[in-house]
Amino acid sequence: MQITKQTIDILKNFSEINSSILVEPGSEIQTIAAMKNILAKSEVVESFNTRFAIYDLPEFLNLVTSPALEGADLVFEGDSVKLNKDRSFSRYFYADESTIITPTKTLEMPDCEIVFNLHHSDFATVKSMAGILQKPDIAISSDGTSITIAVLDKKDATSNDFRIDIGEGVGTEYTMYFKTENLKILKGNYKVSISSKGISHFQNTDIPVEYWIALESDSEYNG
């Protein structure tokens, strides 16, 4: 089998959440951060025929996308995966599954008081400004009239910040805080659902990938 560019992009994104992964037979892949505050899941076009663990996912992806092996045929066997392209070959051994942090149960999303659509260009702007300003926090807030995303340092009211209006409010006021480092999601358009119970759901509307990301404990909802 060959791995598509879309699946490689998804796996690269997942490697930013957790550098290791356990893949089950079938077409669903998922990962969870070591702190258990980010869960990600995706359906992919490939169907894996065996269960396998990769300890250093960035290394594996660098191998798969290297000039010598890009587009290679992959054969997943009992203890390793073989890569073959033209005159190039590689054998990559699986990791001990006990060394991999994996999701252990299905997350049941509570009722969400906040739901809106996030356009890919707006989120790209927020990520760019977070990199420029080097701020640790992102706030999604509403004064009841509009919804705003801010890049800021919530512990320093005098620090530089950036804000962008992304939609219309529905009359309720709230400020939901995220750590900037936790918003590790693929570029694209998203349906965002946020619960006052401390959890959010980002569902990509372009490809079948979704994320559950914990809110910071000082988030406030005044519904």
Side-chain angles (χ1 to χ4, degrees), residues 48-160:
F48 297 99
N49 60 2
T50 189
R51 174 182 169 117
F52 63 94
I54 302 293
Y55 183 76
D56 191 337
L57 184 55
E59 178 185 74
F60 177 71
L61 293 171
N62 284 337
L63 179 70
V64 171
T65 58
S66 66
L69 292 169
E70 186 174 9
D73 289 319
L74 281 69
V75 179
F76 292 88
E77 299 182 334
D79 62 351
S80 61
V81 54
K82 292 182 178 179
L83 298 87
N84 179 13
K85 179 188 176 185
D86 301 329
R87 296 180 294 112
S88 299
F89 307 89
S90 179
R91 187 179 182 190
Y92 197 91
F93 284 90
Y94 306 144
D96 182 343
E97 293 182 11
S98 66
T99 66
I100 310 296
I101 298 172
T102 61
T104 56
K105 60 182 180 180
T106 302
L107 178 64
E108 296 294 336
M109 191 69 185
D111 291 338
C112 295
E113 299 91 348
I114 303 165
V115 179
F116 61 91
N117 293 317
L118 178 59
H119 194 269
H120 68 89
S121 62
D122 289 339
F123 185 70
T125 298
V126 169
K127 292 288 285 185
S128 174
M129 288 301 175
I132 291 171
L133 295 175
Q134 292 293 297
K135 298 305 176 185
D137 305 302
I138 289 177
I140 298 177
S141 62
S142 178
D143 58 3
T145 302
S146 61
I147 302 173
T148 299
I149 299 184
V151 175
L152 72 164
D153 182 347
K154 62 185 179 183
K155 294 182 179 179
D156 184 357
T158 64
S159 69
N160 302 321

Side-chain angles (χ1 to χ4, degrees), residues 6-23 29-34 38-42 54-63 65 92 100-101 181-182 184-186 209 211:
Q6 178 173 293
T7 298
I8 288 174
D9 288 343
I10 292 169
L11 287 170
K12 285 181 178 179
N13 172 249
F14 282 14
S15 73
E16 297 175 4
I17 298 170
N18 186 334
S19 61
S20 304
I21 196 168
L22 174 66
V23 177
I29 56 174
Q30 57 180 336
T31 191
I32 192 168
I38 311 169
L39 173 66
K41 182 171 68 173
S42 179
I54 302 293
Y55 183 76
D56 191 337
L57 184 55
E59 178 185 74
F60 177 71
L61 293 171
N62 284 337
L63 179 70
T65 58
Y92 197 91
I100 310 296
I101 298 172
E181 64 188 24
N182 289 343
K184 299 173 179 177
I185 65 178
L186 275 172
V209 60
Y211 307 82

Side-chain angles (χ1 to χ4, degrees), residues 6 10 13-14 29 40-43 185-187 189-190 201-212:
Q6 178 173 293
I10 292 169
N13 172 249
F14 282 14
I29 56 174
K41 182 171 68 173
S42 179
E43 291 288 332
I185 65 178
L186 275 172
K187 64 181 179 180
N189 298 295
Y190 283 87
H201 182 222
F202 288 72
Q203 183 172 15
N204 193 304
T205 58
D206 303 313
I207 59 175
V209 60
E210 52 191 325
Y211 307 82
W212 292 262

